[in-house]
Amino acid sequence: MARWQPHASDRLVVAALELFEERGYENTTVIGIAERAGLTKSTFFRHFPDKREVLFGGDTMAGLLAAGIADAPADAAPLEAVAH
């Protein structure tokens, strides 16, 4: 993807989540996230102060939890729904 395409922040979140899943949080770098999103490290830092904020800043984590709960089976216990 070219750098000038819109939605850089969303692209960074998607790239980060993919890399966290593939490599784990500790083995994922800001540069790796930026490269996966087709952006530069500078662009990453325009949107997020560090990689932790990709998950916990804004609505990313809340959105992931809500989606997991919504997709869980109706008979799932609360912790099972959150884990889903």
Side-chain angles (χ1 to χ4, degrees), residues 26-62:
E26 292 297 324
N27 295 320
T28 299
T29 64
V30 167
I31 292 171
I33 295 168
E35 287 175 352
R36 173 71 65 99
L39 300 164
T40 65
K41 180 177 78 167
S42 297
T43 301
F44 178 94
F45 287 116
R46 283 189 199 106
H47 294 276
F48 302 101
D50 57 41
K51 69 179 183 177
R52 178 182 53 224
E53 289 298 310
V54 174
L55 280 177
F56 300 108
D59 295 328
T60 302
M61 185 57 75

Side-chain angles (χ1 to χ4, degrees), residues 9-32:
S9 181
D10 293 340
R11 290 168 40 207
L12 288 165
V13 168
V14 169
L17 293 175
E18 289 173 353
L19 289 170
F20 294 156
E21 185 175 356
E22 291 171 18
R23 301 178 185 171
Y25 180 83
E26 292 297 324
N27 295 320
T28 299
T29 64
V30 167
I31 292 171

